[in-house]
Amino acid sequence: MFSITVAHTSTGCALVTVVGEIDAGSMIELGPELERLPDGVSTAVVVDLSRVPYCSCSGVGMFVELLSRTRHDGVPLALVIGTHAVRRAFEVLDVSRLFAIRDDHTSALSAVRMAA
Protein backbone atom coordinates (compact mmCIF):
# COMPACT_ATOMS: atom_id res chain seq x y z
CA MET A 1 0.00 0.00 0.00
CA PHE A 2 1.30 3.46 -0.93
CA SER A 3 0.35 6.76 0.67
CA ILE A 4 1.58 10.31 0.77
CA THR A 5 0.52 13.08 3.13
CA VAL A 6 1.53 16.70 3.23
CA ALA A 7 1.17 18.68 6.45
CA HIS A 8 2.54 22.01 7.63
CA THR A 9 4.25 22.52 10.96
CA SER A 10 3.58 25.55 13.13
CA THR A 11 6.82 27.06 11.80
CA GLY A 12 5.65 26.78 8.19
CA CYS A 13 7.64 23.71 7.17
CA ALA A 14 5.95 21.42 4.65
CA LEU A 15 6.27 17.89 6.04
CA VAL A 16 5.76 15.23 3.37
CA THR A 17 5.35 11.66 4.65
CA VAL A 18 5.64 8.80 2.17
CA VAL A 19 4.72 5.21 3.02
CA GLY A 20 5.36 2.31 0.65
CA GLU A 21 7.58 1.60 -2.34
CA ILE A 22 8.47 4.38 -4.75
CA ASP A 23 8.29 2.78 -8.18
CA ALA A 24 6.65 3.44 -11.54
CA GLY A 25 3.18 2.79 -10.14
CA SER A 26 3.45 5.01 -7.07
CA MET A 27 5.24 7.81 -8.90
CA ILE A 28 1.95 8.60 -10.64
CA GLU A 29 0.63 9.68 -7.24
CA LEU A 30 3.88 11.04 -5.75
CA GLY A 31 4.96 13.15 -8.73
CA PRO A 32 2.10 15.68 -8.65
CA GLU A 33 2.42 16.12 -4.87
CA LEU A 34 6.14 16.85 -5.10
CA GLU A 35 5.64 19.18 -8.08
CA ARG A 36 3.51 21.44 -5.86
CA LEU A 37 6.55 22.09 -3.66
CA PRO A 38 7.82 24.49 -2.72
CA ASP A 39 4.39 26.07 -2.54
CA GLY A 40 5.30 29.72 -2.00
CA VAL A 41 4.29 29.75 1.66
CA SER A 42 6.46 26.99 3.13
CA THR A 43 9.59 28.08 4.93
CA ALA A 44 11.21 24.66 4.41
CA VAL A 45 10.45 21.15 3.14
CA VAL A 46 11.11 17.86 4.93
CA VAL A 47 10.34 14.62 3.11
CA ASP A 48 10.04 11.60 5.40
CA LEU A 49 11.02 8.43 3.57
CA SER A 50 11.61 6.42 6.76
CA ARG A 51 8.74 4.05 5.88
CA VAL A 52 9.83 3.58 2.26
CA PRO A 53 11.47 0.17 1.76
CA TYR A 54 12.43 0.77 -1.91
CA CYS A 55 13.01 3.78 -4.16
CA SER A 56 13.65 3.38 -7.88
CA CYS A 57 16.19 5.44 -9.80
CA SER A 58 13.32 7.42 -11.32
CA GLY A 59 12.06 8.12 -7.81
CA VAL A 60 15.46 9.47 -6.83
CA GLY A 61 15.28 11.66 -9.93
CA MET A 62 12.03 13.17 -8.68
CA PHE A 63 13.78 14.19 -5.45
CA VAL A 64 16.65 15.73 -7.43
CA GLU A 65 14.06 17.80 -9.33
CA LEU A 66 12.48 18.83 -6.01
CA LEU A 67 15.92 19.85 -4.73
CA SER A 68 16.43 22.00 -7.82
CA ARG A 69 13.12 23.79 -7.26
CA THR A 70 13.70 24.33 -3.54
CA ARG A 71 17.19 25.69 -4.15
CA HIS A 72 15.87 28.02 -6.84
CA ASP A 73 13.29 29.36 -4.40
CA GLY A 74 15.71 29.49 -1.45
CA VAL A 75 13.72 26.96 0.58
CA PRO A 76 15.75 24.44 2.64
CA LEU A 77 15.07 20.75 1.98
CA ALA A 78 15.90 17.71 4.13
CA LEU A 79 15.15 14.03 3.63
CA VAL A 80 14.52 11.50 6.39
CA ILE A 81 15.86 8.15 5.20
CA GLY A 82 15.65 5.22 7.55
CA THR A 83 16.41 2.23 5.34
CA HIS A 84 19.70 1.14 3.85
CA ALA A 85 18.07 0.28 0.52
CA VAL A 86 16.72 3.79 -0.03
CA ARG A 87 19.93 5.44 1.15
CA ARG A 88 21.85 3.16 -1.22
CA ALA A 89 19.72 4.27 -4.20
CA PHE A 90 20.81 7.88 -3.58
CA GLU A 91 24.44 6.78 -3.13
CA VAL A 92 24.55 4.64 -6.29
CA LEU A 93 23.30 7.56 -8.34
CA ASP A 94 25.92 9.77 -6.62
CA VAL A 95 23.41 12.34 -5.42
CA SER A 96 23.32 11.66 -1.68
CA ARG A 97 25.93 14.39 -1.07
CA LEU A 98 23.54 16.97 -2.57
CA PHE A 99 20.90 16.42 0.11
CA ALA A 100 20.61 17.02 3.82
CA ILE A 101 19.83 13.41 4.73
CA ARG A 102 18.87 12.67 8.32
CA ASP A 103 17.77 9.59 10.26
CA ASP A 104 14.73 11.11 11.99
CA HIS A 105 12.22 13.99 11.95
CA THR A 106 13.82 15.90 14.78
CA SER A 107 17.22 16.20 13.14
CA ALA A 108 15.67 16.92 9.72
CA LEU A 109 13.52 19.73 11.10
CA SER A 110 16.54 21.09 12.94
CA ALA A 111 18.63 20.98 9.74
CA VAL A 112 16.09 22.99 7.72
CA ARG A 113 15.62 25.51 10.56
CA MET A 114 19.36 26.12 10.67
CA ALA A 115 19.53 26.45 6.87
CA ALA A 116 16.66 28.95 6.71
Side-chain angles (χ1 to χ4, degrees):
M1 184 172 163
F2 181 82
S3 69
I4 180 170
T5 57
V6 180
H8 287 84
T9 67
S10 60
T11 59
C13 177
L15 179 58
V16 181
T17 304
V18 183
V19 178
E21 293 186 351
I22 299 175
D23 56 19
S26 61
M27 285 175 45
I28 294 168
E29 190 175 340
L30 179 60
E33 290 295 332
L34 292 181
E35 288 171 6
R36 292 185 180 103
L37 298 169
D39 57 12
V41 296
S42 297
T43 58
V45 177
V46 171
V47 181
D48 182 355
L49 303 174
S50 64
R51 294 175 26 193
V52 173
Y54 169 80
C55 183
S56 69
C57 294
S58 297
V60 172
M62 288 174 42
F63 293 109
V64 171
E65 290 173 13
L66 174 61
L67 178 64
S68 177
R69 289 192 307 275
T70 57
R71 282 186 174 172
H72 179 267
D73 290 358
V75 175
L77 169 68
L79 304 178
V80 178
I81 299 179
T83 63
H84 174 74
V86 174
R87 191 177 296 262
R88 186 75 180 127
F90 282 80
E91 291 169 353
V92 166
L93 294 171
D94 197 29
V95 297
S96 60
R97 61 185 164 68
L98 302 175
F99 292 89
I101 296 176
R102 301 295 186 264
D103 294 326
D104 57 65
H105 282 105
T106 304
S107 59
L109 289 168
S110 180
V112 294
R113 268 189 242 120
M114 293 182 77

